[in-house]
Amino acid sequence: MAYTVPKLKDLSDATLIAAVNECIRACEAEADAVETEAESKALRDRWLGRKSGILTRINEEWLRAAPKEAKKNVGARVNELRFQIEARIIGAEESVKDRQKKRSVEADRIDMTLPGISRPIGAEHPIIRTMNEIVAVFRNLGYSVQEGPEIETDYYNFESLNFPPNHPARDTQDTLFIANQRTKPLREQLLLRTHTSPVQIRTMEKIKPPIRIVIPGKVYRNDPPDASHSPMFHQVEGLAVDTNITFGDLKGTLDHAMKAFFGSNVKTSFRPSFFPFTEPSAELMVSCFVCGGSGRRGSDTCRPCKQTGWIEILGCGMVDPNVFEFVKDNGYDPARVSGFAFGMGADRIALLKYGVDDLQLFFQNDVRFLRQFA
Ligand code: 2NL
C-alpha cells in the first residue's frame, strides 16, 4: 500500500515515534524499489515536493495543527524525520547514478579475445616499383631525382628540345593539348607533356653544371589504348652534363645500369638512331634476359625478343648543342660542356620484367591481377 499521511490520535512521544518510524520505513521501501532516473525524480517530488510533498503535508497536519505547548517537541520530531527522508532519497539517487555508470563501463568494455580487424596495407604498383628500381640504380651512381609539371608549355616540351616547328609530334594527332590555347603564342600553349625531357630543361635553368639527374614520371600521348599503348604511360629519363662527357661515358654508364637492373649476365649493344634532342643518338639493346640471348626457349621460340636474342630497352645520345643554347646563360655553353641523355618507357620494361602480355592489365586496377605483385 502506498504511504499516506496518517492522522495522529495524540501527540505523545510514543505516538510520534511510531508515526515517524512508519513514515521512514515507507520511504525506505519506495527508495529501495527505485531503478531509473525518472523513478528517482518522482520519488523526490512525492516526498520532498514543496507544494504537496508528503513532508509538506506532515508539516501542516502534524506540526501546524499542534497546540502551542506541543509545537517544540513535534517540531524536533518532524525535523529529524525530514533529515532521515532526505538521506533515503539521496541514497536512492546515488544508487541510480552508480548503476548507470556501471552499465556504461560494461558497454565500453573491450573483449580482448575477439579476433583483430585486418587492414590490408596494399603494395607498390608494378610500374611504380619498376620506376623506383631504375631510379635506385642511378641514385647509387650519384644521380639525384627531379620532378616537374605534367601540364607543360610547347616551349619546354618541344621548342627547347630542338623540335622543328612542323615536327609531327606537335600535331594534335600525337599530342594532347589543353583546350582553348590557340589564341596564345605557340610557345605558351599548354599541353600534356609527351616525355619527361621538359623537366631536364627546367633543371638546367635552375642548377649549373655539372649535373647528374634522373626524372621518373607520367607522360601522355594521343594513342588509343591497346596491348602495348596507353594515353598515359611512364618514363624514366636521365641526364649527365659536365666538361668532357663522351659517348664512352654514356656506354659505360648504361652498360652498368642494365647489368645492375637485369642481372650481371646481360650484354648491351648500341645501334644508331635519331632523336631531335641528341646527336649522335642510339638505341640500347640488352641481350634477352628471358632466353639468355639464344632466341629459343627449349623447343619453343622466345617471344619477348622475337627470336632475335636482343630487346630494345631505351633511347639515348649526346645532348644536341642546339639544346644547350636554350640554357647557355646558366653555364651550359655548348663550347665548354657536353652531356649524354637517355629515356626509357617504364611500362614496357615492367611488361618484359613480369612477363605480362597486355599493358591494359596494369591500368585496369583489378586487385586479382595486382595482388600477384604484392
Ligand atoms: C626514348 C628516348 C630519350 C632523351 C630522351 C634528352 C633530354 C634532354 C636533352 C637530350 Cl634535356 N635528351 N632526353 C635523349 C635521348 C633519348 O628518350 O625512346 N624514350 C622512351
Side-chain angles (χ1 to χ4, degrees), residues 357-372:
D357 60 10
D358 183 356
L359 180 61
Q360 296 309 313
L361 288 167
F362 282 145
F363 300 127
Q364 284 158 353
N365 283 340
D366 184 332
V367 275
R368 290 170 300 179
F369 172 75
L370 293 176
R371 218 197 303 275
Q372 303 175 91

Side-chain angles (χ1 to χ4, degrees), residues 146-147 199 201-208 330 332:
Q146 295 286 331
E147 288 180 305
V199 187
I201 303 291
R202 289 177 177 279
T203 306
M204 288 192 281
E205 287 178 344
K206 276 193 316 203
I207 302 171
K208 294 189 193 314
N330 200 29
Y332 293 88

Side-chain angles (χ1 to χ4, degrees), residues 16 35 74 158 180 189 225 275 295-296 298 318 321 324 362 371 374:
L16 280 170
E35 282 188 2
V74 175
F158 293 128
N180 305 322
Q189 287 176 21
F275 302 106
R296 302 202 62 80
M318 301 306 289
F324 284 139
F362 282 145
R371 218 197 303 275

Side-chain angles (χ1 to χ4, degrees), residues 331-347:
Y332 293 88
D333 179 353
R336 203 180 70 82
V337 299
S338 57
F340 67 80
F342 55 88
M344 63 194 105
D347 317 74

Side-chain angles (χ1 to χ4, degrees), residues 209-248:
I211 57 163
R212 310 275 191 276
I213 54 171
V214 269
I215 294 132
K218 287 179 165 42
V219 298
Y220 302 85
R221 293 203 190 156
N222 190 16
D223 286 329
D226 65 25
S228 58
H229 293 83
S230 165
M232 184 280 295
F233 57 107
H234 301 80
Q235 246 194 346
V236 180
E237 280 200 43
L239 175 71
V241 183
D242 207 333
T243 51
N244 298 316
I245 297 265
T246 68
F247 201 85

Side-chain angles (χ1 to χ4, degrees), residues 196-372:
T196 51
S197 316
V199 187
Q200 313 212 21
I201 303 291
R202 289 177 177 279
T203 306
M204 288 192 281
E205 287 178 344
K206 276 193 316 203
I207 302 171
K208 294 189 193 314
I211 57 163
R212 310 275 191 276
I213 54 171
V214 269
I215 294 132
K218 287 179 165 42
V219 298
Y220 302 85
R221 293 203 190 156
N222 190 16
D223 286 329
D226 65 25
S228 58
H229 293 83
S230 165
M232 184 280 295
F233 57 107
H234 301 80
Q235 246 194 346
V236 180
E237 280 200 43
L239 175 71
V241 183
D242 207 333
T243 51
N244 298 316
I245 297 265
T246 68
F247 201 85
D249 296 316
L250 178 158
K251 289 186 74 176
T253 301
L254 292 180
D255 182 73
H256 164 82
M258 293 304 111
K259 286 178 162 67
F261 184 77
F262 291 109
S264 55
N265 49 350
V266 299
K267 293 182 174 60
T268 57
S269 167
F270 292 82
R271 304 195 180 168
S273 184
F274 176 82
F275 302 106
F277 31 74
T278 46
E279 182 61 32
S281 304
E283 272 162 18
L284 170 58
M285 313 295 288
V286 170
S287 58
C288 182
F289 40 85
V290 177
C291 66
S294 69
R296 302 202 62 80
R297 298 182 77 185
S299 55
D300 258 352
T301 55
C302 183
R303 201 192 281 255
C305 68
K306 299 188 197 83
Q307 298 180 67
T308 64
W310 294 94
I311 295 177
E312 186 193 329
I313 293 296
L314 57 77
C316 56
M318 301 306 289
V319 178
D320 193 303
N322 291 342
V323 172
F324 284 139
E325 286 292 337
F326 288 94
V327 286
K328 196 175 181 170
D329 290 350
N330 200 29
Y332 293 88
D333 179 353
R336 203 180 70 82
V337 299
S338 57
F340 67 80
F342 55 88
M344 63 194 105
D347 317 74
R348 210 175 83 82
I349 295 173
L351 285 177
L352 290 166
K353 175 167 175 170
Y354 295 110
V356 174
D357 60 10
D358 183 356
L359 180 61
Q360 296 309 313
L361 288 167
F362 282 145
F363 300 127
Q364 284 158 353
N365 283 340
D366 184 332
V367 275
R368 290 170 300 179
F369 172 75
L370 293 176
R371 218 197 303 275
Q372 303 175 91

